[in-house]
Amino acid sequence: MDNSLNYLFITALSYPFIALYNAGAASFRTSQNSRLPMAIAFGSNILNILGNIFFIFTLSLGVAGAALSTLLSRIISALIILILLKQPKQDLYMDSYLSIRPEIETITKILKIGIPTGIENGMFQFGKLVIQSTVSTMGTTAIAAQGMVAMLESFACQASIGVGLGMMTVVGKCVGAKEYEQARHYTISLTKLAWIVCIIFCAIIMLFIKQITSLAGMEAESAKLAIWLTRIVFAYKMIF
């Protein structure tokens, strides 16, 4: 119980640094430099993995060690991106963070979009919670199968999410330049691209799902259920 509370507390401490990193990454993406945030995120994840090995297996801190590793990796990634944002060679850079002042009008505009989006995402997460609660009553076989399918489903849509992030930058620039026809063109073409890469990744996973479940070391019954669920979920995902 104490370890769980420590995990929750340490994990909560990482959220401000995640927000700082996301704000900095958004600035770089706006200036068409998405490679740098990707490199920082990749390095942060590697550091997180190494931290998990050190804190969990070397120092035997358990789940608190996992949370501490996550916190340190988020702090480092946030500091790196904030330092890089102060470099004058960037298209967008900060002279001084102490000079930042809230602009109520701009914040209001953001909240008008952000609050409904947050509520929508909250409803989606609530739906996932209901599903997880239902699955947890069906035994370990269903839990293992659902966990595997959820992980594969998340992996399959990462490329599409990447296209979506790029679309936000491209379409935002078009709208800012009042090139609405170009915004429409890129919205349609990038949506098609996101759909295509989603279909490709789903097809690859469906093709090798038996090997994936075998590699994961799943029990025969759980693997059979995971394969069946994957084919249903991914067939739906590829179409809609």
Side-chain angles (χ1 to χ4, degrees), residues 133-210:
S133 299
T134 304
V135 171
S136 65
T137 65
M138 298 179 180
T140 56
T141 298
I143 293 173
Q146 193 270 341
M148 171 60 74
V149 175
M151 181 184 67
L152 293 176
E153 193 273 339
S154 177
F155 175 78
C157 67
Q158 289 305 308
S160 298
I161 291 174
V163 174
L165 290 172
M167 185 195 299
M168 290 171 61
T169 302
V170 173
V171 175
K173 281 180 168 288
C174 292
V175 173
K178 299 188 185 302
E179 296 287 346
Y180 300 114
E181 192 57 39
Q182 283 195 32
R184 173 182 171 83
H185 167 74
Y186 283 117
T187 298
I188 295 173
S189 59
L190 290 174
T191 299
K192 289 179 180 178
L193 177 61
W195 195 355
I196 290 171
V197 295
C198 178
I199 290 174
I200 291 173
F201 275 85
C202 286
I204 292 173
I205 291 174
M206 290 177 69
L207 184 63
F208 295 101
I209 183 60
K210 290 185 178 180

Side-chain angles (χ1 to χ4, degrees), residues 119-133:
I119 294 173
E120 176 191 354
N121 187 57
M123 294 171 62
F124 178 71
Q125 296 300 325
F126 177 75
K128 290 175 66 175
L129 178 62
V130 171
I131 292 173
Q132 187 66 48
S133 299

Side-chain angles (χ1 to χ4, degrees), residues 15-29 36-42 44 74 76-82 85:
Y15 291 147
F17 298 100
I18 294 174
L20 287 172
Y21 168 79
N22 286 336
S27 298
F28 282 105
R29 293 190 189 103
L36 181 60
M38 180 190 69
I40 295 174
F42 180 79
S44 174
R74 297 299 182 256
I76 291 172
S77 62
L79 289 176
I80 290 174
I81 207 160
L82 290 176
L85 270 176

Side-chain angles (χ1 to χ4, degrees), residues 8-106:
L8 292 173
F9 176 73
I10 297 173
T11 302
L13 292 177
S14 68
Y15 291 147
F17 298 100
I18 294 174
L20 287 172
Y21 168 79
N22 286 336
S27 298
F28 282 105
R29 293 190 189 103
T30 302
S31 57
Q32 298 182 340
N33 185 358
S34 59
R35 186 175 299 175
L36 181 60
M38 180 190 69
I40 295 174
F42 180 79
S44 174
N45 288 328
I46 295 297
L47 183 63
N48 192 9
I49 294 171
L50 295 176
N52 284 335
I53 295 173
F54 177 72
F55 289 117
I56 296 174
F57 298 107
T58 303
L59 299 183
S60 301
L61 294 179
V63 292
L68 186 59
S69 174
T70 300
L71 173 61
L72 291 177
S73 65
R74 297 299 182 256
I75 290 174
I76 291 172
S77 62
L79 289 176
I80 290 174
I81 207 160
L82 290 176
I83 291 171
L84 292 176
L85 270 176
K86 286 181 65 66
Q87 305 302 314
K89 63 181 181 180
Q90 306 293 339
D91 293 337
L92 292 175
Y93 69 93
M94 294 296 304
D95 289 324
S96 173
Y97 291 111
L98 297 177
S99 64
I100 298 175
R101 296 292 183 272
E103 295 183 5
I104 303 302
E105 184 179 352
T106 304

